[in-house]
Amino acid sequence: MTLATATVRSGRGAPRGGQGDGRRRDGATWFLVLPALIPILILSVGPLLYGIALAFTDAQSGRTRSTQWVGVLNFQDLLHDTLFWDSFRIGLLWAVGVTVPQFVLALGLALLLNANLRMRWLARALAIIPWAMPEVVVGIMWRLVYNPDAGILNETVRDLGLGDGRDWLTGLATALPAVIVVGIWAGMPQTTVALLAGLQNTPHELHEAAALDGADAWRRFRTVTWPAIRPVALAISALNLIWNFNSFALVYVLTSGGPGGRTRLPMLFAYEEAFRYGQFGYAAAMGCVMVAVISVLLALYLVGRLRGGEDA
């Protein structure tokens, strides 16, 4: 028996090499991950922790003003702030009012774009144009559409003899519905693309088999198409609900929260408290409440996904 064979059989030497290789692999992995991890820690996790800490202080604007620790006082004031809870209710109405019609319309458009139509590539390119436009540009464009004097919407209403038109973005009854329409239009492309990807991954043979069994279009959708795209539909709907609840730029450009706070979303309310009135600690408490709500929504979504995976 040679010395090398005896060493291997006795178990000496091999574990050291294995541990060394494992450490080198771990080090190489962290080295590759760090360029992506460091910006997340600096730009996301760091500000989040700072904002949570700020919520327990009376921080206000002003260089010479000292910041004091106040504990949960900001959260106690928030519980009795009817304006904030009104904005929270408006935010939920906005999020649901945008997400649900957006999904229904995007599903119909995805089914249409998945059909064997001529110039389908052009229709797909045109369908994602709103997605490529910044929210500020979308807001400015729709302000022109809703313009009470020369907007294309009021001009169409006048041409059809339906009245003299109205100021859609400043009317108490029309401001929120008008903004919801813009939100649906702006976010529909990303939902369409996600659903279209799910449709294209559905085996065509399943549709052919269902058609041979005599299933009509609705039954094929219910028994073949929907089960195939349901995971994608649930995922994009949950993400859309969270994104819409966090909306800021689009509504800010369109209405700045008016008229009379009818379109003041929670993000807009927190922005005004922080940068218009200088109440940084109070605005940070609002941000903590919104983070908690979003965390609950994410937890419910993840639990649903895990249960769905177990059932599958």
Side-chain angles (χ1 to χ4, degrees):
M1 181 183 298
T2 63
L3 180 60
T5 304
T7 303
V8 171
R9 289 185 178 179
S10 63
R12 293 177 296 176
R16 294 175 184 171
Q19 292 177 358
D21 293 340
R23 292 194 189 99
R24 283 195 293 271
R25 283 195 297 269
D26 292 341
T29 302
W30 280 108
F31 181 77
L32 295 174
V33 169
L34 279 178
L37 185 61
I38 291 176
I40 293 175
L41 293 174
I42 295 176
L43 301 177
S44 297
V45 178
L48 176 62
L49 296 177
Y50 178 73
I52 293 173
L54 203 65
F56 296 92
T57 69
D58 63 349
Q60 298 180 11
S61 61
R63 285 187 173 182
T64 58
R65 193 185 184 287
S66 60
T67 299
Q68 303 295 329
W69 183 267
V70 296
V72 296
L73 182 61
N74 288 326
F75 295 95
Q76 292 176 352
D77 293 340
L78 201 59
L79 289 175
H80 302 93
D81 191 340
T82 57
L83 291 177
F84 173 72
W85 294 112
D86 284 343
S87 74
F88 203 87
R89 176 183 58 83
I90 293 170
L92 291 177
L93 287 174
W94 153 268
V96 176
V98 172
T99 302
V100 175
Q102 189 180 86
F103 174 79
V104 174
L105 294 174
L107 179 58
L109 183 58
L111 291 170
L112 182 63
L113 295 177
N114 193 50
N116 189 17
L117 301 175
R118 296 182 60 184
M119 305 293 289
R120 183 173 58 178
W121 62 271
L122 181 60
R124 289 179 178 178
L126 294 175
I128 65 173
I129 286 179
W131 195 9
M133 299 173 64
E135 287 188 323
V136 174
V137 176
V138 172
I140 294 173
M141 183 184 71
W142 276 91
R143 281 184 66 91
L144 296 176
V145 172
Y146 286 134
N147 187 279
D149 299 322
I152 187 173
L153 181 58
N154 278 342
E155 289 292 336
T156 303
V157 169
R158 296 188 190 102
D159 292 341
L160 295 175
L162 300 177
D164 295 330
R166 59 175 65 192
D167 196 346
W168 301 92
L169 294 176
T170 59
L172 295 177
T174 59
L176 184 59
V179 173
I180 286 176
V181 169
V182 181
I184 294 171
W185 182 86
M188 200 168 67
Q190 62 189 17
T191 308
T192 302
V193 171
L195 295 175
L196 182 59
L199 289 172
Q200 290 181 336
N201 286 329
T202 305
H204 187 65
E205 294 79 7
L206 296 178
H207 291 279
E208 293 178 347
L212 291 174
D213 290 338
D216 57 8
W218 168 246
R219 189 175 179 183
R220 290 199 302 271
F221 173 80
R222 187 167 52 87
T223 59
V224 177
T225 304
W226 177 248
I229 67 171
R230 183 170 55 186
V232 176
L234 293 176
I236 195 63
S237 297
L239 292 175
N240 281 340
L241 189 65
I242 294 170
W243 288 333
N244 291 326
F245 185 76
N246 282 330
S247 292
F248 173 80
L250 186 62
V251 181
Y252 182 77
V253 173
L254 285 168
T255 63
S256 297
R262 294 299 176 93
T263 60
R264 185 187 289 129
L265 305 183
M267 282 293 182
L268 283 171
F269 196 95
Y271 171 82
E272 290 179 350
E273 287 293 323
F275 299 105
R276 179 174 295 181
Y277 305 114
Q279 302 293 330
F280 295 133
Y282 193 54
M286 294 180 187
C288 289
V289 172
M290 287 182 280
V291 168
V293 172
I294 293 169
S295 300
V296 170
L297 292 176
L298 280 174
L300 292 175
Y301 167 69
L302 292 175
V303 169
R305 291 286 293 175
L306 289 174
R307 287 181 178 176
E310 291 175 357
D311 295 338

